Amino acid sequence: MEANAGLVAGSYKRNELVRIRHDSDGAPKPVKNLNGQICQICGDTVGLTATGDVFVACNECAFPVCRPCYEYERKDGNQACPQCKTRYKRHKGSPRVDGDDDEDDIDDLENEFNYAQGTSNARRQWQGEDADLSSSSRHESQQPIPLLMNGQLVSGEIPCATPDNQSVRTTSGPLDPRQPVPVRIVDPSKDLNSYGLGNVDWKERVEGWKLKQDKNMMQMTSKYAEGKGDMEGTGSNGEELQMADDARQPLSRIVPISSSHLTPYRVVIILRLIILGFFLQYRATHPVKDAYPLWLTSVICEIWFALSWLLDQFPKWFPINRETYLDRLTLRYDRDGEPSQLAPIDVFVSTVDPMKEPPLITANTVLSILAVDYPVDKVSCYVSDDGSAMLTFESLSETAEFARKWVPFCKKHNIEPRAPEFYFAQKIDYLKDKIQPSFVKERRAMKREYEEFKVRINALVAKAQKMPEEGWTMQDGTPWPGNNPRDHPGMIQVFLGHSGGLDTDGNELPRLVYVSREKRPGFQHHKKAGAMNALIRVSAVLTNGAYLLNVDCDHYFNNSKALKEAMCFMMDPAYGKKTCYVQFPQRFDGIDLHDRYANRNIVFFDINLKGLDGIQGPVYVGTGCCFNRQALYGYDPVLTEEDLQPNIIVKSCCGSRKKNKTSNKKYIDKKRAAKRTESTIPIFNMEDIEEGVEGYDDERTLLMSQKSLEKRFGQSPVFIAATFMEQGGIPPTTNPATLLKEAIHVISCGYEDKSEWGKEIGWIYGSVTEDILTGFKMHARGWISVYCMPPRPAFKGSAPINLSDRLNQVLRWALGSIEILLSRHCPIWYGYNGKLKLLERLAYINTIVYPLTSIPLIAYCLLPAFCLLTEKFIIPEISNFASMWFILLFVSIIATGILELRWSGVSIEDWWRNEQFWIIGGTSAHLFAVFQGLLKVLAGIDTNFTVTSKASDEDGDFAELYVFKWTSLLIPPTTVLLVNMVGIVAGVSYAINSGYQSWGPLFGKLFFALWVVAHLYPFLKGLLGRQNRTPTIVIVWSILLASIFSLLWVRIDPFTSDKTTAASNGQCGINC
């Protein structure tokens, strides 16, 4: 679908497809044909033959391989071409190997290109068989592919299928040497890339070849070191022995945390666990008889807190850091002068309500994506408008026009960040490291252009404040199809792309696609999860990037190399085949200096997720995450035998894996067989798809019949064919004329009916926090995830700094956890197939049960006040020996916190803010989430999804921080705060009245009460607001001291003499 081809709206079931607006047509820009004859295995030049021609190892597909690699493959490898799997023929001068006797005894190449006759029939037969595997009866016959829309291609991505660019696809299995082979006529004078060899599916096999080669090199190196002679072909100096080629090195590495930091941390955790056991044993065996209800409540709460601490603490046992090597990634996949081999990526941006999510913020996010440091033909940006707002559509149109100027400016001067609002707002020396004389002038001009762009966006927002009675109308007079957000057709508009997306310098821009899925009454649309699944399908039909990256509309790319950072893991031979996603930490702009409500969530991102990264990977947090598309399709990962070993539970029950290799093999075979029989995992797995083993066609035919595929993925042959393209790209058998219709079809509201979408495929339904559920399902299948923390934060976003908005955000997260807890996907009982590690399961259990802690927490926070009011205490009089456990417990808690901060680098202020908001959220949002979740699951009473406001701060520095918005979430913590303050006043007044001996027991009660008030102090500041900038602490202490001195005044009564007091006591009352 071409850029600027007009908005396309339609409904599949109603058989409607309307092209609403057409601005202009531009011819697609031809792709540059880069000339380079480089060996695709070792990276050296292919070289020439004795006659001066280019060396061609494979006569069938002309896959570029140099002579040494060809000789090695024939001698020690599989004796076949890495691309087409055809057995290598012996070239002139090559030594014979086993199997050559079966061939004709030909030592030269004179007759090996004479396949002109009979080739076309074999080629058509082969391609016809291949087409049957990846398409259905709905595909038209393979004729020259018609063009779409005024003679242009959909998104300019798929060339016409002419005999010159048709290629033999070999993903369906190896060629049988006894059958007629489709042979391509190779002209050595032509560029090998013209034969379609730039994007082949052989990386896994080549990596195995490299391991063998490295092993041989190590053996030869040891031989050379022992003085047994020079290595063959290396010379006396062994210069070519320096094969520390960065292209073969790992793309990332684990940076272990110093043992001097971790060992004391783990020791203290074990000691704390022991001390906690003795403490609870003492508390349970020493009741307080005169305050039994208070004592029993406190013991129950303490036991729950201990269990909660265990769930939170032990997943942090193996924290790690990671480091990426972008230079190695570039050297391996993105060399200068060669076609880029980096994988294509589709970036998703989700938005709903432009009034709560300002279009200017969304525009900045989109601009940062379009300007990312990645090959433009490998990036596509999809914006999901789930509110079908014309404001979003028009602002995206303005954004596309501004991008033509902004993107070349960013790439020319290499600026960071590439979101204009945040770039121009930086209070730094923007001339640092800038050497081009034109930079200052161009920056001033670009800033003016951006300010004019902001004015245009603001004008659109002002216009959208009041909707006309007849609904919105587009510029050409056509009614806006999305006037009713609950009843409208699906809409797609490509703003930028190869066929029309050129910047001011004439260079191509990444594709920018507007998508609004169809909505009709009576259908369940599943909120954000449903919108993301619609983006998965429409992107697979139009561009089909091998990887997906999703961000919220307010999370812009702060690091233009973020995609490359993710590819260092996704395209790494060691990690890529089993990594389901790469999660980046969330960082935020616009947070007040002291982060009053812990919006940065530093403890979670810098401590908890680092700990999970050392186990099976971090949980998915909903944004800033790069996915392997195959993992979202429900495929199993490609696991090694080591990955398939029993987990710790199986080992403890069945013994060590070293016991018997035969039993170990039986276990692995049983695990692999279970992949096809267990109903909760895919019918098929990627391991079988990637292995080109004999009989593969028959197995795939049995397992992947058209009926089963449509039942799983939905009734779209184009989308089903795209699911088999592991490396991305559009299937060659796809007819571009069907793409537009299929794109509308896959976003129709009834497409997911009777399919596995939301159950086993894509974002999983059943919770408002679909992120936790989606990540958990992937980990349960055996995938791993990776936590990437580049030095420059990859993404930055905005967070609600207002107290009420922040509590509503936390309420939504907690409600989603309760929904998962009460569903069949609960980690307590789901996914016991040996693939989810024990500590990872504990982390997921902690993620869904933490809202339940609100009940014992609010009870425990009220206990100090009740103790002060009733003059009782939850702890009996203790001996010196018993007091030791109390002291040791507090010391271990403090030591754990200090050592945790030491290895993580988190500041003590961030840690304290996290502790404070844990109490605030636990006594408010978490408590409401428990009851709302029970009502939703048990009584069917649903709660509305509240979009977090992303309004910008326009009324001054952090003006939103001081705005008071009433919500019922404020009632519980306010009650706890007031009760404790009343208890403090009552306790102090009682001690004053009772004399000196009562002050000793009072201190323990006052300590706990003041501890609760200290944790709720940010909440109190939020309640009081700005108060004309009077410090809140002054107001709090004024109230407390005024109450105490008033009671003290009444107690002393200094202006009343003893005679007056006696007389007043002796007076008769009314009943005298």
Side-chain angles (χ1 to χ4, degrees), residues 732-749:
T733 55
T734 302
N735 185 350
T738 66
L739 289 183
L740 187 61
K741 184 177 179 180
E742 287 297 322
I744 293 294
H745 173 35
V746 298
I747 62 173
S748 60
C749 54

Side-chain angles (χ1 to χ4, degrees), residues 711-973:
K711 183 178 179 181
R712 185 169 180 82
F713 292 109
Q715 297 184 354
S716 172
V718 176
F719 174 74
I720 291 174
T723 62
F724 295 105
M725 308 294 290
E726 183 197 353
Q727 301 301 325
I730 304 296
T733 55
T734 302
N735 185 350
T738 66
L739 289 183
L740 187 61
K741 184 177 179 180
E742 287 297 322
I744 293 294
H745 173 35
V746 298
I747 62 173
S748 60
C749 54
Y751 180 83
E752 296 181 354
D753 292 347
K754 298 180 180 180
S755 70
E756 295 294 327
W757 284 101
K759 302 172 186 176
E760 302 294 333
I761 300 175
W763 271 258
I764 306 301
Y765 303 149
S767 171
V768 295
T769 52
E770 69 288 330
D771 45 7
I772 297 175
L773 201 52
T774 302
F776 172 66
K777 291 278 286 187
M778 293 181 184
H779 283 137
R781 291 192 185 104
W783 291 91
I784 67 169
S785 57
V786 172
Y787 194 49
C788 181
M789 295 182 65
R792 180 180 179 86
F795 307 95
K796 281 191 174 182
S798 59
I801 62 175
N802 178 266
L803 176 60
S804 299
D805 291 339
R806 173 70 166 143
L807 290 178
N808 277 299
Q809 183 187 55
V810 174
L811 170 64
R812 180 167 59 86
W813 296 342
L815 178 60
S817 296
I818 293 297
E819 290 173 345
I820 299 174
L821 176 64
L822 302 177
S823 71
R824 73 181 185 92
H825 291 117
C826 177
I828 298 176
W829 52 71
Y830 179 85
Y832 283 94
N833 54 9
K835 297 179 181 178
L836 185 66
K837 295 185 179 180
L838 177 61
L839 292 181
E840 190 80 12
R841 183 179 297 277
L842 290 181
Y844 273 110
I845 293 175
N846 182 55
T847 303
I848 62 147
V849 302
Y850 76 89
L852 298 179
T853 307
S854 61
I855 298 176
L857 180 62
I858 198 168
Y860 209 71
C861 288
L862 290 173
L863 282 178
F866 289 152
C867 291
L868 288 167
L869 293 173
T870 60
E871 302 175 10
K872 307 292 184 183
F873 201 39
I874 59 176
I875 301 174
E877 294 185 5
I878 58 178
S879 62
N880 293 334
F881 178 76
S883 63
M884 177 186 68
W885 297 117
F886 288 85
I887 297 173
L888 289 177
L889 180 62
F890 281 105
V891 170
S892 65
I893 292 174
I894 296 172
T896 304
I898 292 175
L899 293 174
E900 199 167 73
L901 300 182
R902 185 185 177 202
W903 66 255
S904 65
V906 176
S907 68
I908 191 170
E909 182 182 12
D910 289 324
W911 178 84
W912 174 239
R913 286 286 179 259
N914 182 78
E915 294 294 314
Q916 286 180 313
F917 197 79
W918 181 73
I919 298 292
I920 296 172
T923 56
S924 57
H926 297 173
L927 185 66
F928 276 73
V930 172
F931 292 106
Q932 286 187 15
L934 292 174
L935 288 174
K936 182 176 182 179
V937 175
L938 301 179
I941 302 176
D942 199 357
T943 53
N944 292 327
F945 172 76
T946 303
V947 178
T948 305
S949 176
K950 281 93 176 179
S952 57
D953 189 18
E954 298 176 353
D955 300 327
D957 293 337
F958 314 118
E960 186 72 14
L961 181 67
Y962 305 103
V963 175
F964 180 81
K965 300 178 183 179
W966 170 252
T967 173
S968 56
L969 296 176
L970 301 175
I971 296 176

Side-chain angles (χ1 to χ4, degrees), residues 33-49 52-56 62-67 186-195 197 335-339:
N33 187 15
L34 299 176
N35 185 16
Q37 299 174 357
I38 303 299
C39 175
Q40 298 298 307
I41 296 179
C42 67
D44 294 335
T45 57
V46 171
L48 304 177
T49 62
D53 298 327
V54 177
F55 176 75
V56 180
F63 183 66
V65 175
C66 65
R67 187 66 177 253
V186 178
D187 183 1
S189 63
K190 292 181 65 177
D191 177 18
L192 293 177
N193 289 294
S194 64
Y195 292 98
L197 304 178
R335 295 184 181 182
D336 293 336
E338 300 179 14

Side-chain angles (χ1 to χ4, degrees), residues 43 150 225 252 393 402 415 464 516-517 722 781 851 892 915 936 982 1022:
N150 299 330
S252 64
F393 177 81
F402 179 70
I415 66 168
S516 182
R517 57 178 173 149
R781 291 192 185 104
S892 65
E915 294 294 314
K936 182 176 182 179
V982 171

Side-chain angles (χ1 to χ4, degrees), residues 18 20-21 390 472-481 483:
V18 182
I20 296 179
R21 189 178 66 186
M390 185 174 172
W472 298 111
T473 304
M474 303 180 70
Q475 293 180 0
D476 59 355
T478 307
W480 171 246
N483 277 322

